[in-house]
Amino acid sequence: FCWPRATPLAMRSVFSCCLLLAQGGAAALVGQPLSQGRAGRRSAVGMVTAAPELKDKQQSFDTSIAEVPKCPETVWNSENIDLAAVQSPSRVLPVEITAADVPEGMSQEEFFRARRPELLEQLTAGGAIWLRGFDLMKTKEGFASFYEQLELEPCQDPLASVGARAVVDKKSAMYEAVNKPSRAKFFVGMHAESTYKRTNRLGAFVCFKQAETGGEFLLLDGHKMLKDLDPAVLRRLYDKGVRFSNAELPFFDFLRTLPEPLQPLKEPLKGVFKAVAQVAVGAKIDMELELRWDENEEDGLRLLAFSPTQPPVNRHPVTGEPAWFCNVHSHSRYLRDGRDGKLVESSGASKLNVTNMFYGDLSEVSADDLKHIDEVTMKNLVYVPMEKGDVVLVDNYQVMHGRDVFTGERLHAVTWFQ
């Protein structure tokens, strides 16, 4: 192969541009803002999301909490599940407990401390608990006191290494939920707070201010999903496994339009970019990602970040019962674009927040199968209209969560637990 004729200045300019783009790509993948690139699409749990607009700018991208343990590694136990024998429990999400249940003369803190064993048993059996009408959890300090009474042990967000979620309060390991006004019109699809590598066991979602309209917290029973899915669809997914593309680096399309004398540089430069970005991702991101090139007319030339193949069904780490454990509803590009449409031109990390799901061999999941998964998901959806001070405890290995569209200001937060 012969290098094309070009002036030294032109060659230096091309390589300088390429290296800057590669550095920008690696930085953006770990949560740094960008100002250029193709418009992205929204995902509920993409690897990178635009941070909420907080008064403290540093807070927007700083999600490390040195005093809090990392999110535990995902407990995978999915082999040899008899899908035909799966039984759906006769339960209704969520279990509801109200302030009226507190005996006279007992403080709310004393109530949670005294009821700790019972509440945790109810959470494992019922999948989710909605605590309603309590004054204690209307403040950050009260919310922290609440979970301290239950002796829950906080952990970092599974996506802490990529700055995907702003920290509201480091002391209480509290992260902001998806409240950003630019995301208000987009439905957050149903998902477990999980990556291939890390999954928190429990989550406590708190409402400090409900939206003017909409914004309901959503729950989905993974047991019912498993029972209601078409056996053939479920079998295909289980046998083949699934693989998620968690983000994209979309700013390499200039390589497709290099001047004719520089066209032979395209493939060598792709190799350089991928190598540089892979090293940066491996050093910065705690997610076991593989970068792969993808090129088409709609999206141009881009690097996609893939997690390893994983099963869509997993056994609960305590009960051993299998449940639907697949973030396709939030990550599928087909489903997301179908309900939200395509985002207009945007800037920042939102440009990278483009996710999708494939079979384990990276072949496409059919539109019919995706539509069926969406239909079963929406049929089993539970809307929880939280008000200020309400908390929803979620068992992350058996119940998924999401959020409806909303108007007005909304402030919900979450703390994850080991």
Side-chain angles (χ1 to χ4, degrees):
F1 138 84
C2 295
W3 292 92
R5 293 178 180 268
T7 66
L9 178 60
M11 292 296 293
R12 286 197 299 271
S13 297
V14 169
F15 278 107
S16 297
C17 177
C18 294
L19 289 174
L20 285 171
L21 282 168
Q23 292 167 355
L29 196 58
V30 296
Q32 301 301 316
L34 294 172
S35 60
Q36 296 181 359
R38 188 183 59 80
R41 296 170 182 77
R42 186 212 38 92
S43 164
V45 187
M47 194 181 68
V48 179
T49 58
E53 296 174 351
L54 305 176
K55 292 181 180 180
D56 183 354
K57 289 287 289 184
Q58 183 179 2
Q59 190 178 38
S60 297
F61 294 112
D62 182 11
T63 63
S64 60
I65 308 176
E67 302 80 7
V68 178
K70 284 186 176 182
C71 179
E73 293 190 355
T74 304
V75 180
W76 290 109
N77 181 10
S78 57
E79 295 183 357
N80 303 315
I81 294 177
D82 185 354
L83 299 175
V86 170
Q87 298 294 319
S88 177
S90 56
R91 65 185 187 186
V92 177
L93 292 182
V95 175
E96 290 191 30
I97 296 174
T98 70
D101 295 322
V102 179
E104 186 175 351
M106 178 181 283
S107 72
Q108 293 181 0
E109 289 176 314
E110 291 171 334
F111 172 76
F112 289 123
R113 185 163 58 249
R115 291 279 299 272
R116 174 185 175 274
E118 181 183 349
L119 286 173
L120 295 182
E121 287 179 7
Q122 285 181 297
L123 181 56
T124 300
I129 298 177
W130 182 9
L131 302 164
R132 307 183 65 178
F134 289 87
D135 292 328
L136 176 64
M137 292 88 82
K138 289 183 177 181
T139 65
K140 292 187 295 184
E141 296 76 17
F143 175 62
S145 178
F146 151 74
Y147 68 69
E148 287 170 358
Q149 307 312 312
L150 297 181
E151 299 179 18
L152 298 177
E153 300 179 5
C155 65
Q156 294 187 41
D157 188 281
L159 298 172
S161 65
V162 298
R165 193 188 299 271
V167 176
V168 174
D169 187 82
K170 286 191 174 185
K171 184 178 179 181
S172 56
M174 191 184 309
Y175 293 88
E176 187 165 354
V178 188
N179 303 314
K180 192 174 181 181
S182 62
R183 298 289 183 177
K185 296 183 183 298
F186 297 99
F187 183 95
V188 177
M190 306 309 294
H191 62 283
E193 207 65 32
S194 171
T195 69
Y196 176 83
K197 186 174 182 179
R198 298 193 181 276
T199 301
N200 53 280
R201 167 71 202 290
L202 305 174
F205 296 83
V206 59
C207 173
F208 292 127
K209 182 177 183 179
Q210 64 265 45
E212 184 177 323
T213 62
E216 290 88 352
F217 187 64
L218 307 175
L219 295 172
L220 178 69
D221 193 330
H223 292 186
K224 291 185 177 179
M225 278 293 296
L226 209 57
K227 185 63 177 177
D228 290 352
L229 283 169
D230 181 275
V233 174
L234 182 59
R235 173 57 63 183
R236 278 193 291 275
L237 292 166
Y238 182 73
D239 288 348
K240 292 184 176 183
V242 299
R243 197 167 184 190
F244 293 98
S245 61
N246 296 282
E248 71 169 39
L249 303 180
F251 24 76
F252 299 104
D253 204 44
F254 75 96
L255 290 173
R256 303 173 73 204
T257 57
L258 287 173
E260 186 62 32
L262 298 180
Q263 279 297 318
L265 287 175
K266 179 181 176 182
E267 293 304 319
L269 288 176
K270 283 172 60 179
V272 171
F273 288 148
K274 181 178 176 182
V276 171
Q278 190 71 66
V279 169
V281 167
K284 296 286 188 179
I285 299 178
D286 188 22
M287 286 182 65
E288 295 188 23
L289 297 174
E290 177 194 6
L291 299 183
R292 300 173 67 98
W293 287 107
D294 183 74
E295 183 175 358
N296 60 66
E297 290 305 315
E298 180 181 0
D299 302 308
L301 180 63
R302 58 199 176 138
L303 273 172
L304 301 182
F306 285 90
S307 56
T309 301
Q310 64 190 65
V313 181
N314 197 21
R315 292 185 179 91
H316 192 275
V318 175
T319 68
E321 293 296 320
W324 179 247
F325 195 67
C326 180
N327 288 348
V328 58
H329 197 250
S330 64
H331 275 47
S332 166
R333 177 172 174 171
Y334 176 84
L335 294 181
R336 187 174 59 250
D337 287 353
R339 61 180 175 249
D340 295 334
K342 298 181 180 180
L343 287 178
V344 296
E345 184 67 25
S346 61
S347 62
S350 293
K351 286 180 171 297
L352 308 171
N353 192 18
V354 182
T355 62
N356 207 353
M357 191 194 82
F358 305 85
Y359 285 121
D361 61 4
L362 294 183
S363 59
E364 297 276 354
V365 180
S366 73
D368 286 343
D369 284 2
L370 290 171
K371 288 177 183 177
H372 171 70
I373 293 170
D374 181 59
E375 289 171 359
V376 176
T377 297
M378 299 307 290
K379 182 184 76 171
N380 286 291
L381 217 57
V382 177
Y383 285 73
V384 184
M386 298 173 68
E387 298 181 353
K388 185 176 182 178
D390 287 3
V391 169
V392 177
L393 287 167
V394 175
D395 188 321
N396 196 41
Y397 274 91
Q398 58 174 312
V399 172
M400 294 184 162
H401 61 275
R403 190 222 68 204
D404 202 2
V405 299
F406 67 93
T407 63
E409 186 179 357
R410 178 184 190 269
L411 181 56
H412 286 224
V414 61
T415 295
W416 310 117
F417 304 99
Q418 302 178 58

